[in-house]
Amino acid sequence: MSDVKNTIVNGRAVLGIEFGSTRIKAVLIDENNTPIASGAHDWENRLENGIWTYSLEDIWTGLQDCYRKMTEDVQAQYGVKVEKLGAIGFSAMMHGYLAFNKDGELLVPFRTWRNTITQEASEALTEAFQFHIPQRWSIAHLYQAILNGEDHVKDVDFFTTLDGYIHWQLTGEKVLGVGSASGMFPVDSDTKDYYTSMIEKFDEMAAAKGMPWKVENLLPKVLLAGDNAGVLTAEGAKRLDPTGTLQPGCPLCPPEGDAGTGMAATNSVKQRTGNVSAGTSVFAMIVLEKALKEVHEEIDMVTTPSGDAVAMVHCNNCTSDLNAWVNVFKEFAESFGMEVDMNKLFGTLYNKALEGDKDCGGLLAYNYFSGEHITGFEEGRPMFVRTPDSKFNLANFMRANLYTSLGALKVGLDILLKEEGVAVDRITGHGGLFKTKGVGQKILAGAMDATVSVMKTAGEGGAWGIALLASYMIQKEEGESLADYLQNKVFGGDEGEKMDPDPEDVKGFDEFIKRYKAGFPIERAAIDALK
C-alpha cells in the first residue's frame, strides 16, 4: 500500500475547508503537509432586500458538495474511501453577521462582509473605543441593528462569523480562532482575548438602548492556534457527509478567517513579516512588534492565528482595470488576425513596463472600478490622464497601470511604514499580479521599499492554510510555536524567490504617488460628470 493511501485508510490525513466569496474549497493533506486531494464548489452571494447574503441552504449544500468532490478525488486517485480523518479545520471570509436566538434559530439573513450599511455604527464605535471599527466587522453590524431599532436584537443569544457557524454546527462548540475573532470585536494581543475595556463600553452603549444582554455572553469564546476546539459529533459527521461514510470523533482546530489562513499559507505569522494578496482586490498584512501610535481609519487591526497584532491595509481595486487594458491589446492583435496567448500577452506587456521611466514619464491612472475607502472615494471611475508634454509610450503606459494597481495600497502602507515606522524584514506576494515572473514583485518592492518574496507555490491557498493549522494542532511538539512549526515542518526554510527594492524604483513610485494624490480632484470631477 502506498504511503498516501496508508495515511488515508488509517485516518491520519488532515482536511481543510475554506469558504471564499465565490468558491468553497477542500484540501486534504498528508503527514508531511502536502496536498493529496481536493474538491471545490462554486457559489455566489445574492443581493436580497438590499443585503448581500448567502442562505443557510447555500452553505450546507455547498459544503456537502465540496466534501463529496474531495472524497471522489480520493477514490479516483487512491481507490479508497474517507472513513476517518486526523483533524479538520474550517475557514471562511471574515466579519459579517450571523445572529441566533436561544433556540439556535437564525434571526435575520446572513449579512456578509460585503455590506456597507453600518457607517453610523462604525463611526460611533471607532469614537467610543478609540480603535478603528470598519463597517464590515460583526460588532458594527450588531450595533447598527440596535441603532436601526431592529426587532431581533433583543433576542440575540449568540452571534458569529461563517467559519464559527459551521464549526458550531459540527462540534456544538461556540468558539472562534483569535484571528477570526479579531474581525468581530477588537482583540488585545497581550491577553489574546477581547479588550475588556471595550466590552464594558459596548455594554454601556447597548444598555442605554434597552438591550437586556451583555455582549461578552453573545460572542464566541476565543481560542489560539494549536488549541483543541472540539470534536466532530455524530450529527456533525452526518451533516458533512450525508452518505454516513465519515466517522465522528476527529478533533477540530479553532475556525479561522481567510486573513489568518493566508498568513499560514505564506509563512507570514512571525513579527516583522507580512504578505500582500493582489488580484481583483488587494490587501497587505504586517505582523507588528508593538502597537501603533495612532488610530488610523485606513488601517484595520487584526491578529495572527496565534494572537499577535497585525496591521491590515485593504483596498477594493487592484487588477480589474489593468486586465481591461490587456484585453484591449488582445482585441488589437486579433484585428490583425493574430491568435493571442493570454499568458504571453500579459508577460510581454508586464515586462514592457520595466523598460519605462521610473516615475512613468508623468502619466497618471486611476483603477477605481468601485469606491476606495483608503483614499476617500465612495464610488470610482477608471481613468487615464496625461499632460501634452508627458512621455506617452507603451512602457510608461503599462508601468502607470501597474503602479496604480497598488496606488491605494501604497497610500495605506506609507502610513504604516513611514508615519508609524513599522519594521518589515520580509513580505510575501501572492495572487494574480505576481503571475508574470519578477514584474509585480519588482513593482511591489519599489512601492514598499522592502524585500519581496514570491513562493513557487502557496499550496492550495486558504484551504491549505487552515489544513496546516489543523495539522499544527495534532502534530506540534511541546512548546513549539506556530511560526516555528511552519518554518521548520512545512516550508523547510524555503522563503521563495527574493527581490530587494531598487532605490530608483522607490524614488519613482514616490513621485507617482505625489501625482496620484494631487489628481484626486480630477477623479472626483469625473465621478460627478459621468453618472
Side-chain angles (χ1 to χ4, degrees), residues 3 49 56 81 112 156 166 197 257 269 303 350 357 375 413 462 464 468 488 494 529:
D3 287 346
N49 302 315
L56 295 188
K81 291 181 177 178
T112 76
V156 176
I166 299 287
S197 59
V269 300
T303 78
Y350 274 36
D357 294 307
T375 50
L413 285 172
W464 185 54
L468 294 179
N488 302 326
D494 176 17

Side-chain angles (χ1 to χ4, degrees), residues 320-503:
S320 294
D321 194 42
L322 188 57
N323 294 344
W325 280 113
V326 172
N327 279 321
V328 167
F329 289 111
K330 171 178 175 266
E331 280 187 45
F332 169 78
E334 286 175 342
S335 299
F336 280 87
M338 301 178 197
E339 209 169 299
V340 181
D341 178 324
M342 289 305 287
N343 285 331
K344 191 173 180 185
L345 181 60
F346 270 101
T348 301
L349 290 170
Y350 274 36
N351 278 292
K352 190 71 182 175
L354 300 185
E355 300 172 19
D357 294 307
K358 302 295 188 182
D359 70 345
C360 309
L363 306 186
L364 176 61
Y366 293 103
N367 65 335
Y368 294 179
F369 262 56
S370 60
E372 195 58 80
H373 70 101
I374 295 272
T375 50
F377 288 91
E378 288 186 13
E379 53 184 311
R381 300 290 181 271
M383 194 188 316
F384 173 71
V385 186
R386 64 189 179 96
T387 58
D389 59 349
S390 57
K391 296 176 186 171
F392 184 38
N393 55 43
L394 180 59
N396 282 338
F397 177 77
M398 286 308 300
R399 195 174 187 105
N401 279 290
L402 277 164
Y403 274 17
T404 201
S405 68
L406 299 175
L409 185 78
K410 180 166 170 59
V411 171
L413 285 172
D414 280 352
I415 293 169
L416 283 179
L417 303 177
K418 294 179 179 177
E419 292 180 29
E420 288 281 354
V422 169
V424 186
D425 294 330
R426 177 174 59 82
I427 287 286
T428 301
H430 55 115
L433 187 69
F434 304 101
K435 200 171 176 184
T436 299
K437 185 177 169 66
V439 179
Q441 186 176 9
K442 183 173 171 62
I443 300 292
L444 179 61
M448 294 189 68
D449 193 11
T451 300
V452 174
S453 297
V454 174
M455 299 278 186
K456 292 182 183 68
T457 173
E460 299 283 348
W464 185 54
I466 190 66
L468 294 179
L469 293 174
S471 174
Y472 170 64
M473 175 186 70
I474 60 172
Q475 290 203 46
K476 71 181 191 300
E477 293 171 22
E478 188 70 34
E480 185 176 30
S481 69
L482 175 62
D484 287 343
Y485 179 82
L486 292 174
Q487 184 71 9
N488 302 326
K489 307 273 179 69
V490 180
F491 294 94
D494 176 17
E495 294 186 349
E497 295 186 13
K498 290 183 179 181
M499 186 177 289
D500 294 324
D502 176 341

